[in-house]
Amino acid sequence: MALFLCVLFLLLSSASACDRCLHQSKAAYFSKASALSAGACGYGSLALGLSGGHLAAGVSSLYKDGAGCGACFQIRCKNSTLCSSEGTRITLTDLNHNNETDFVLSSRAFMAMANKGMGRDILKLGIVDVEYKR
């Protein structure tokens, strides 16, 4: 019985601890990072210094009623022609009310997912398929 409870505990722990799992979604971008810095987390102009201005608004499951503020995510787009395999790191500073994407990134963060010299090309897409993890 004790072994069963230990196994059950481990399974439940790993199922709920999927913060580090790789997730598939879509991301869009704001043309002005100031829109994200004035966001729901209340960082104001301080947000522009976080992660080199690589800011994001996240859906409610990531925002977590404000508990997700300041969370960092590694995100990369899946278009291998335009995007680097490394992607970029972003900091959550706002709530994304858009139900089409998990993230709305600053344009700087959006372009940072691209291969060198392809930043403007990725912006033209507007929305891209992404993979991300916390």
Side-chain angles (χ1 to χ4, degrees), residues 7-21:
V7 170
L8 181 63
F9 176 74
L10 286 173
L11 288 174
L12 291 175
S13 300
S14 63
S16 64
C18 201
D19 253 357
R20 308 255 186 258
C21 294

Side-chain angles (χ1 to χ4, degrees), residues 37-117:
S37 67
C41 294
Y43 291 122
S45 61
L46 291 175
L48 297 174
L50 300 173
S51 299
H54 293 192
L55 309 177
V59 290
S60 60
S61 61
L62 299 172
Y63 178 73
K64 301 177 182 177
D65 292 325
C69 289
C72 295
F73 295 88
Q74 184 69 27
I75 185 169
R76 66 178 180 186
C77 68
K78 295 170 59 177
N79 181 328
S80 59
T81 305
L82 292 177
C83 302
S84 73
S85 58
E86 298 86 35
T88 190
R89 192 177 81 166
I90 56 171
T91 302
L92 196 72
T93 60
D94 198 1
L95 174 62
N96 172 18
H97 297 284
N98 178 343
N99 61 2
E100 294 178 28
T101 66
D102 278 6
F103 292 102
V104 178
L105 308 178
S106 62
S107 57
R108 180 179 288 178
F110 202 78
M111 289 192 303
M113 293 189 296
N115 285 319
K116 189 172 184 165

